């Protein structure tokens, strides 16, 4: 992280207000996203075990798609924020429009792949003969909503870059409510079964995308930004997003390796791993909210040719990351007796999860620094470095994780390896932030 220096009290308070103003609504929007899957699961679960299993397979694929294409939000946030800092709102919105066109093109490509290959994809994931038809049905219908889903990601990036995280929160909450109501009505009221759940999600996603498009189109007209697709701009958006795609795929590979290793340890360990991973993911939402604030704030400072403001904001956000990480770690330690019984009554699973949760708790300050610096470098448009750092982290983590079944240590060792992974990330990000090479000012990097 940048070298420490004294930040005047007024500046600290200004940074704190900006961080809170952007991070709190961002956290709400982040939490609302997984509620879509939870609502679908709660409704479909009453149809039967086979239907719920089919939903589980299909939703895993859709969740993976969201995580893979999240670069649409990240890259757009940084690019738009730079132009906002430079005082060129027309170019900022034009950049956002290019990102939305890219999202549409990617979404249509995904549909072209998923519709004919859905049965093969479901089979590849090992769905049972009874669950496979339901998974295929849900996947095919839900794929029709992927363009809307990707538009939501890109448009969310536009608004974050414009320093607006409240609108995404409102849209996410409204989308969750609409999804739940539509699912219940179509599954039970219309008697469409799992297909009704898929259609309800598609309609909700299309409604969210429509709201975002109205907001973006209104801003484009207000500032005279063109709405037609521009090949050069779309290509630039894709090039900015490619390194972040590599970063995300490397991170997904780490999580998949950890899960695969846990599965080799036995049923109790993989069950405990899923519990611990779910908590780790929930904690990540709180830290990612600060990272999102970092993307928007850092991009704006650099666009405004204010490197000192960017450094000071970075230092302040790192302190926030450490403080929030410490708080979350303490909460995990205190809440363990209440948290574990919510997921399992099996004492063997609880015994496996308990020490792993302690490792997760101890790692939260490290995670806080990682998430913040990750957001800072994204906001600076430093995607190539982030991609390389994550590939290096994957290379370090993989052999350590694969040795766990050989050397022993069980699930606790896996999460110690995860902590090592986060420590490597922290070191690579700290070295970059300390070097100052991420500080490139101007409307474009």
């Amino acid at each position: 992280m940048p070298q420490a220096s004294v930040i005047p009290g007024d500046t600290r308070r200004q940074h704190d207000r900006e961080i809170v103003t952007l991070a709190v609504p961002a956290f709400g929007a982040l939490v609302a996203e997984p509620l879509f899957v939870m609502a679908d699961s709660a409704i479909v679960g009453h149809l039967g075990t086979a239907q719920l299993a089919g939903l589980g397979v299909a939703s895993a694929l859709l969740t993976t798609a969201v995580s893979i294409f999240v670069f649409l939000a990240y890259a757009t946030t940084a690019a738009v924020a730079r132009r906002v800092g430079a005082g060129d709102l027309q170019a900022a919105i034009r950049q956002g429009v290019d990102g939305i066109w890219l999202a549409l093109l990617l979404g249509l490509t995904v549909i072209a792949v998923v519709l004919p290959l859905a049965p093969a994809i479901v089979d590849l994931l090992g769905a049972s003969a009874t669950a496979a038809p339901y998974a295929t049905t849900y996947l095919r219908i839900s794929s029709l909503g992927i363009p809307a889903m990707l538009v939501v990601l890109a448009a969310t990036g536009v608004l974050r870059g414009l320093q607006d995280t409240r609108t995404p929160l409102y849209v996410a909450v409204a989308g969750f409510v609409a999804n739940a109501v539509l699912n219940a009505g179509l599954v039970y009221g219309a008697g469409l079964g799992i297909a009704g759940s898929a259609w309800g999600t598609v309609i909700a996603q299309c409604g969210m995308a429509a709201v975002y498009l109205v907001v973006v189109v209104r801003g484009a007209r207000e500032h005279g930004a063109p709405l037609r697709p521009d090949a050069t701009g779309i290509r630039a958006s894709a090039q900015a997003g490619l390194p972040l795609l590599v970063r995300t795929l490397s991170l997904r590979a780490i999580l998949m390796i950890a899960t695969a290793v846990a599965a080799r340890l036995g049923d109790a360990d993989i069950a405990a791993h899923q519990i611990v991973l779910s908590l780790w993911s929930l904690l990540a939402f709180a830290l990612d909210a600060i990272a999102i604030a970092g993307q928007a704030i850092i991009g704006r400072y650099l666009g405004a040719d204010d490197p000192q403001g960017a450094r000071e904001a970075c230092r302040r956000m790192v302190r926030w990351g450490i403080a929030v990480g410490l708080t979350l770690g303490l909460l995990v330690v205190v809440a363990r007796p209440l948290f574990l019984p919510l997921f399992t009554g099996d004492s063997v699973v609880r015994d496996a999860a308990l020490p792993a949760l302690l490792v997760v708790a101890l790692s939260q300050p490290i995670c806080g620094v990682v998430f913040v610096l990750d957001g800072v470098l994204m906001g600076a448009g430093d995607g190539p470095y982030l991609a390389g750092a994550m590939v290096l982290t994957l290379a370090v983590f993989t052999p350590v994780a694969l040795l766990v079944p050989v050397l022993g240590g069980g699930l606790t060792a896996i999460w110690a390896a995860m902590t090592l992974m986060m420590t490597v990330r922290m070191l690579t990000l700290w070295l970059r932030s300390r070097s100052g090479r991420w500080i490139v000012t101007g409307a474009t990097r």
Side-chain angles (χ1 to χ4, degrees):
M1 66 198 76
Q3 297 178 359
S5 67
V6 178
I7 302 175
D10 290 344
T11 303
R12 284 201 304 270
R13 285 190 289 273
Q14 176 188 342
H15 288 320
D16 290 345
R17 283 194 298 270
E18 284 189 321
I19 293 167
V20 171
T21 299
L22 292 171
V24 172
F27 174 70
L30 288 169
V31 171
E33 292 298 328
L35 293 179
F36 271 74
V37 176
M38 290 180 63
D40 288 1
S41 299
I43 293 170
V44 171
H46 292 286
L47 294 174
T49 301
Q51 289 90 332
L52 184 58
L55 173 66
V57 171
S59 63
L61 288 165
L62 294 169
T63 302
T64 299
V66 172
S67 66
I68 288 174
F69 291 113
V70 75
F71 72 85
L72 290 166
Y74 292 161
T76 304
T77 297
V80 171
R82 274 185 175 269
R83 287 160 176 79
V84 168
D88 192 347
L89 287 178
Q90 182 186 76
I93 295 174
R94 170 73 261 187
Q95 181 72 41
V97 170
D98 290 336
I100 290 173
W101 279 112
L102 175 62
L104 279 172
L105 291 173
L106 290 173
L108 293 173
T109 302
V110 172
I111 288 179
V113 172
V114 171
L115 281 180
L117 296 180
I121 296 172
V122 167
D123 184 62
L124 184 65
L125 287 185
S128 67
T130 53
Y134 296 111
T136 301
T137 296
Y138 191 92
L139 182 60
R140 276 181 165 157
I141 296 172
S142 293
S143 69
L144 300 177
I146 287 178
M149 178 185 74
L150 299 189
V151 166
V152 167
L153 286 176
T156 298
V158 176
L159 295 183
R160 288 174 181 170
L162 294 171
Q163 317 295 297
D164 176 10
T165 56
R166 290 184 179 274
T167 300
L169 171 62
Y170 300 148
V171 175
V173 171
F176 166 69
V177 173
N179 179 68
V181 172
L182 287 167
N183 269 257
L186 294 174
V187 170
Y188 298 112
L192 296 180
I194 195 169
S197 176
W199 280 117
T201 300
V202 169
I203 294 169
Q205 288 170 338
C206 289
M208 292 169 66
V211 173
Y212 275 119
L213 289 176
V214 168
V215 173
V216 172
V217 168
R218 184 184 301 150
R221 289 176 175 169
E222 180 180 348
H223 297 285
L227 294 170
R228 63 184 180 276
D230 176 70
T232 302
I234 294 172
R235 192 181 307 113
S237 294
Q239 290 172 345
L242 183 59
L244 297 181
L245 175 61
V246 173
R247 167 203 168 274
T248 301
L249 289 174
S250 299
L251 180 57
R252 293 296 301 180
I254 287 170
L255 297 177
M256 289 176 64
I257 290 169
T259 300
V261 172
R264 293 178 61 186
L265 298 178
D267 290 346
D269 285 288
I270 185 60
H273 176 71
Q274 289 304 113
I275 294 172
V276 178
L277 183 60
S278 67
L279 177 62
W280 190 81
S281 300
L282 178 63
L283 298 175
F285 285 134
L287 297 173
D288 202 25
I290 305 175
I292 288 170
Q295 293 170 31
I297 293 170
I298 295 298
R300 191 189 73 231
Y301 274 118
L302 294 178
D305 290 319
D306 186 358
Q308 184 60 29
R311 289 190 187 93
E312 291 176 354
C314 176
R315 285 192 288 269
R316 193 60 185 166
M317 282 184 284
V318 167
R319 292 187 175 94
W320 269 82
I322 294 172
V324 173
L326 285 170
T327 303
L328 293 176
L330 289 173
L331 287 174
V332 171
V333 173
V334 172
R336 281 177 307 146
L338 301 175
F339 177 76
L340 287 174
L342 295 176
F343 288 86
T344 180
D346 190 330
S347 61
V348 177
V349 175
R350 287 202 300 269
D351 289 343
L354 195 62
L357 284 175
L358 284 176
V359 175
V360 168
L362 291 173
S363 70
Q364 286 310 294
I366 296 173
C367 294
V369 175
V370 168
F371 275 83
V372 167
L373 291 180
D374 203 42
V376 165
L377 296 186
M378 282 185 192
D382 206 10
Y385 181 84
L386 289 172
M390 188 59 77
V391 170
L392 172 64
T393 303
L394 173 61
V396 173
F397 171 80
T398 301
V400 174
L402 294 179
L403 283 173
V404 169
V406 178
L407 299 179
L411 187 65
T412 304
I414 292 176
W415 280 94
M418 289 286 285
T419 301
L420 172 65
M421 177 269 292
M422 294 301 288
T423 302
V424 172
R425 288 186 69 190
M426 183 180 70
L427 290 174
T428 58
L429 297 174
W430 175 77
L431 288 172
R432 185 64 167 181
S433 65
R434 185 179 177 84
S435 73
R437 294 176 184 172
W438 57 279
I439 300 176
V440 179
T441 58
T444 57
R445 183 177 174 86

